[in-house]
Amino acid sequence: TTNNGVAIPSSGIERASFGPSGKLLYFNGTIGDYSTALWNLWRTDGTAAGTRRLLPDRYDGRAVTALAARSDGVVFRSGDFFQNAGARYWKADANLDTATPVTSTFSYSSSTLQRNGDDAYFMCPGVSNSPGLCRITPTGQALLVRSQIGTQETFVPIGNLGSVSVFFTGTGQELWRTDGTFPGTFRIAQEVVNATFEGEAVPSAVANGKLYVAMCRNFGGGCGLMTTDGTVAGTAFVADLPDNDIG
């Protein structure tokens, strides 16, 4: 329940995203048995009247598997948690009254969404179906930013430095950045491993114009605190960390 006692789906929440104002929370949750029920899209302002779900007949009715709040509502992906095919992205208004398709069918259901302001980034098929980076613009357009980002179909958000978003290409062992343009999208580190080994967003912090995140070196090189200013030259390990302090 919320602090005001509003009941939310008892089977759990898999994804959640606060709106920019901090007054609305969007999340996906199930009604009924966890193993068989679809994940629906919900929103709440902490009151009973302000807690509702997007009705399945307002979009294609499939499970909501990723979401990112925006100033005018929320973008989300419908598809299947367990099949890496057929995902589709949608835009819903703040009240969850309507939803309109943002993209045609994309194949990477495993990709999550990284929000930066009203932009949202996700992994999508690029050239020859290699993993590419796509952007959902504030106007709801889906654009291919770069046709290839690594070789693995996993996209893990790390954090934002102003208009620059930093992300990890999962088992691809590469750290990338983007500002939503082709020239501004490139690899800033390689042979690193996500220290938390989680498939969703990696915890990070921003201070003095730099982003800090725990990373591990490939090939058993140990783990440490990495910092980046969004450039290749400004990305480096600054301190080693004991393995049991990671996570």
Side-chain angles (χ1 to χ4, degrees), residues 57-180:
D57 62 3
R58 306 296 167 87
Y59 66 112
D60 65 9
R62 296 186 295 168
V64 174
T65 56
L67 58 97
R70 295 150 47 103
S71 60
D72 61 349
V74 59
V75 293
F76 66 95
R77 183 185 65 228
S78 65
D80 190 291
F81 274 110
F82 309 108
Q83 294 182 0
N84 192 23
R88 190 170 189 179
Y89 289 83
W90 303 77
K91 180 176 69 171
D93 68 291
N95 289 324
L96 300 188
D97 292 325
T98 61
T100 55
V102 172
T103 66
S104 59
T105 299
F106 283 82
S107 65
Y108 295 154
S109 296
S110 60
S111 175
T112 188
L113 283 160
Q114 179 166 359
R115 184 184 77 184
N116 191 331
D118 277 350
D119 283 317
Y121 297 99
F122 64 97
M123 184 171 278
C124 60
V127 173
S128 300
N129 211 38
S130 61
L133 181 70
C134 281
R135 170 191 174 207
I136 300 176
T137 69
T139 59
Q141 292 180 295
L143 305 175
L144 179 64
V145 177
R146 192 178 180 97
S147 61
Q148 186 169 7
I149 51 169
T151 59
Q152 300 290 330
E153 298 174 9
T154 303
F155 174 84
V156 182
I158 293 178
N160 300 319
L161 278 169
S163 62
V164 172
S165 294
V166 180
F167 59 92
F168 184 72
T169 57
T171 55
Q173 302 170 348
E174 296 179 355
L175 198 65
W176 284 68
R177 55 142 288 166
T178 186
D179 62 2

Side-chain angles (χ1 to χ4, degrees), residues 147-247:
S147 61
Q148 186 169 7
I149 51 169
T151 59
Q152 300 290 330
E153 298 174 9
T154 303
F155 174 84
V156 182
I158 293 178
N160 300 319
L161 278 169
S163 62
V164 172
S165 294
V166 180
F167 59 92
F168 184 72
T169 57
T171 55
Q173 302 170 348
E174 296 179 355
L175 198 65
W176 284 68
R177 55 142 288 166
T178 186
D179 62 2
T181 69
F182 178 82
T185 303
F186 51 85
R187 184 178 62 200
I188 56 177
Q190 58 183 328
E191 296 186 355
V192 292
V193 180
N194 171 5
T196 62
F197 302 102
E198 297 290 337
E200 297 304 318
V202 175
S204 63
V206 174
N208 299 320
K210 294 185 177 182
L211 184 145
Y212 294 85
V213 61
M215 281 284 174
C216 296
R217 302 171 183 87
N218 200 6
F219 308 114
C223 300
L225 182 65
M226 175 174 273
T227 183
T228 182
D229 61 3
T231 68
V232 175
T235 302
F237 282 97
V238 295
D240 290 332
L241 296 173
D243 290 347
N244 58 4
D245 285 348
I246 303 295

